Amino acid sequence: MDAQSIYWTPFELFGAPITFNVTTMITFSIAGLIVFLFTFLGAKKMAMRPTGLQNFIEWVIDFCRGIIKANMDWKTGGRFIALAYTLLFVIFVSNMMGIPFEMATNDTHSVIWKSPTSDPFLTLTLAAFVVILTHIYGIKLRGTKEYSLDYFRPKWFLFPFKIIEEFANTLTLGMRLFGNVFAKEVLMLLIVGLGTAGIGWGIAMFAPTMVWQAFGIFIGSLQAYIFAMLAMVYMSHKVESH
Amino acid sequence: MEILGEGIEWGTIIYSVAAFSVLMFVIGKFALKPLMGVMEKRQNQVNDDLDNAEKSRVEAEKYLEQQREELKAARVQAQETLEQASKMSEQQSREVLENAKQEAERIKEAAVQDIEREKEQALESVRDQVASLSVAIATKVIEKELDEKEQQKLIDSYLEEVEAK
């Protein structure tokens, strides 16, 4: 089970190697492409009486609107619909990608198909992206003064904890998603590896594989929802005064 | 996956941020914004339609009430007209009957008077005839039975009678 992603380090910048995880890049791009295609096919007709895919896309939009409205006023939160929608949809698709199969080259065991969210760099990047966005919008919508003062509320001595909180938020947001999906993939590999060890094992492991795939779908959906929800929670902490 | 051993994968980080940002921007700008416009438009339309339906319903109810009242009024009027007509016809028939009775009375009276007059005339003529007949008879009798002398005597007696008067 020494599955390895494919790495590519074309050059160094300021002494640091610029490494690309090709597997993550490809699978994440495919996830983005799937989201893009679904969204645009659904939004193509713009019918007043929606059918098929448009219904689905509108349902997802409504779902995201529900997430945002649960955290903040729609007047301030409306601008984050694209963020919530893309996060939810892309992470959901990414989580689902590793469930039916995982592809690896035979000789080097290089993985070429998996859930891109089982890569901690990707999930932490998304988490950092979201947290940085909350800071940007916090300053933009409430002004630098209000934004800075928020670090000393409700009491001034909470300042260090507030700073820690920002990093902890980023870490937990990213690591939670990574941990769930990575654990799902590892266990899937174990079960499938055992199942392919012999005919008897194959029969014995058929039911556990199905059960684990069903559970994978469940935690995949749940983690996508949690990620989008927490992103909006952090956003509301920054853009709304308390 | 040796995170520390490999160092931070800056390439992956840059690529995923770029990919996610582009995807978010494109989807937000070209799909979600117009689609949400359509959704809002639809919501407004549904709201308007519901409002209109409510308005129409209230209006229809009002009209129905109005019609009902008008029908009631018409029915009352018809009833009144009918009553009046029957009253009038009754009165008319009574008048006609009265007139007819009076007319009959008049005609009867006239007939009685006529009869009376005719009777009198008849009696008159009978009396005249009786007188002339009696004179004729008398003439005949007198011619036969009275001679000169007798006649003279009669004339005298008449004269005497006239004188005495």
Side-chain angles (χ1 to χ4, degrees):
Chain A
M1 299 306 130
D2 52 344
Q4 273 283 339
S5 295
I6 303 165
Y7 292 103
W8 179 50
T9 312
F11 53 86
E12 289 194 359
L13 207 66
F14 308 121
I18 304 298
T19 309
F20 290 90
N21 185 335
V22 179
T23 310
T24 304
M25 278 162 56
I26 290 174
T27 47
F28 189 57
S29 303
I30 290 172
L33 206 66
I34 291 172
V35 171
F36 175 83
L37 284 179
F38 265 88
T39 308
F40 270 79
L41 285 180
K44 198 176 61 184
K45 275 195 284 183
M46 304 278 175
M48 283 300 273
R49 291 158 195 237
T51 49
L53 200 55
Q54 194 184 341
N55 260 331
F56 173 70
I57 297 300
E58 287 191 5
W59 174 75
V60 177
I61 291 176
D62 238 17
F63 189 75
C64 294
R65 188 154 39 190
I67 291 177
I68 292 173
K69 275 184 174 167
N71 289 306
M72 51 192 138
D73 194 35
W74 180 247
K75 244 178 82 185
T76 32
R79 72 194 77 210
F80 303 124
I81 186 85
L83 178 65
Y85 177 89
T86 318
L87 277 177
L88 183 76
F89 213 159
V90 166
I91 292 174
F92 175 75
V93 172
S94 300
N95 290 350
M96 292 304 120
M97 277 169 76
I99 288 174
F101 55 85
E102 181 167 334
M103 278 198 287
T105 51
N106 220 357
D107 46 352
T108 58
H109 290 287
S110 295
V111 179
I112 52 175
W113 182 276
K114 57 162 189 164
S115 282
T117 38
S118 65
D119 180 348
F121 282 110
L122 179 81
T123 59
L124 281 171
T125 304
L126 286 180
F129 181 76
V130 165
V131 172
I132 289 169
L133 267 187
T134 65
H135 289 278
I136 291 173
Y137 274 101
I139 293 171
K140 200 171 143 192
L141 294 183
R142 298 178 58 212
T144 317
K145 193 180 162 221
E146 275 293 303
Y147 165 78
S148 313
L149 281 176
D150 243 12
Y151 285 100
F152 302 98
R153 284 180 186 137
K155 289 281 180 287
W156 63 269
F157 57 81
L158 288 175
F159 175 67
F161 299 101
K162 290 267 188 176
I163 297 295
I164 293 169
E165 186 193 13
E166 294 307 322
F167 289 102
N169 279 349
T170 315
L171 261 178
T172 52
L173 188 61
M175 292 312 268
R176 178 185 302 110
L177 178 60
F178 159 70
N180 274 279
V181 181
F182 185 66
K184 185 260 294 175
E185 299 233 312
V186 166
L187 201 58
M188 184 78 89
L189 270 180
L190 283 175
I191 293 172
V192 172
L194 207 55
T196 48
I199 293 176
W201 280 114
I203 295 166
M205 283 296 123
F206 187 72
T209 310
M210 285 210 318
V211 169
W212 191 246
Q213 279 178 329
F215 189 63
I217 292 172
F218 171 66
I219 51 173
S221 321
L222 194 67
Q223 288 307 318
Y225 170 68
I226 287 174
F227 197 96
M229 180 56 119
L230 281 177
M232 289 304 124
V233 168
Y234 297 154
M235 189 64 92
S236 76
H237 284 169
K238 288 281 174 252
V239 300
E240 291 205 317
S241 40
H242 309 287
Chain B
M1 194 140 327
E2 294 169 60
I3 296 166
L4 294 174
E6 295 270 0
I8 296 172
E9 296 172 15
W10 286 107
T12 312
I13 292 170
I14 293 163
Y15 179 81
S16 40
V17 166
F20 188 81
S21 308
V22 168
L23 183 68
M24 191 173 82
F25 176 77
V26 169
I27 282 181
K29 181 120 183 175
F30 299 110
L32 292 192
K33 216 170 170 190
L35 199 58
M36 282 179 72
V38 170
M39 284 166 80
E40 202 184 324
K41 213 164 87 185
R42 184 186 310 132
Q43 195 181 347
N44 288 343
Q45 196 184 340
V46 168
N47 276 345
D48 283 356
D49 285 356
L50 283 179
D51 284 352
N52 281 346
E54 178 64 23
K55 219 183 283 169
S56 315
R57 199 183 62 80
V58 168
E59 215 160 285
E61 230 157 62
K62 210 174 68 189
Y63 276 133
L64 192 68
E65 197 58 36
Q66 211 171 319
Q67 289 299 320
R68 208 173 275 157
E69 250 157 49
E70 255 166 43
L71 194 68
K72 209 190 270 177
R75 200 171 281 157
V76 167
Q77 205 175 355
Q79 193 74 28
E80 251 170 41
T81 313
L82 212 66
E83 256 169 43
Q84 217 168 1
S86 82
K87 216 182 279 176
M88 207 188 287
S89 80
E90 210 171 296
Q91 200 184 344
Q92 239 163 7
S93 74
R94 210 183 295 133
E95 259 171 34
V96 167
L97 215 63
E98 199 75 27
N99 280 355
K101 243 182 230 169
Q102 275 174 7
E103 186 73 14
E105 202 69 32
R106 208 169 50 77
I107 289 171
K108 207 173 94 185
E109 247 165 54
V112 165
Q113 269 174 4
D114 269 1
I115 290 167
E116 205 74 27
R117 207 170 44 241
E118 290 288 317
K119 205 172 97 186
E120 234 151 74
Q121 265 177 357
L123 274 177
E124 196 76 30
S125 75
V126 165
R127 207 177 285 146
D128 281 356
Q129 250 162 354
V130 165
S132 61
L133 266 180
S134 64
V135 167
I137 292 168
T139 311
K140 287 252 165 89
V141 170
I142 288 164
E143 266 177 8
K144 205 164 72 177
E145 289 188 1
L146 281 188
D147 50 14
E148 205 76 24
K149 225 167 88 191
E150 284 286 322
Q151 211 169 1
Q152 193 58 51
K153 208 169 139 188
L154 195 64
I155 290 167
D156 284 347
S157 76
Y158 281 141
L159 285 174
E160 256 171 53
E161 229 171 278
V162 169
E163 269 167 19
K165 273 181 189 173

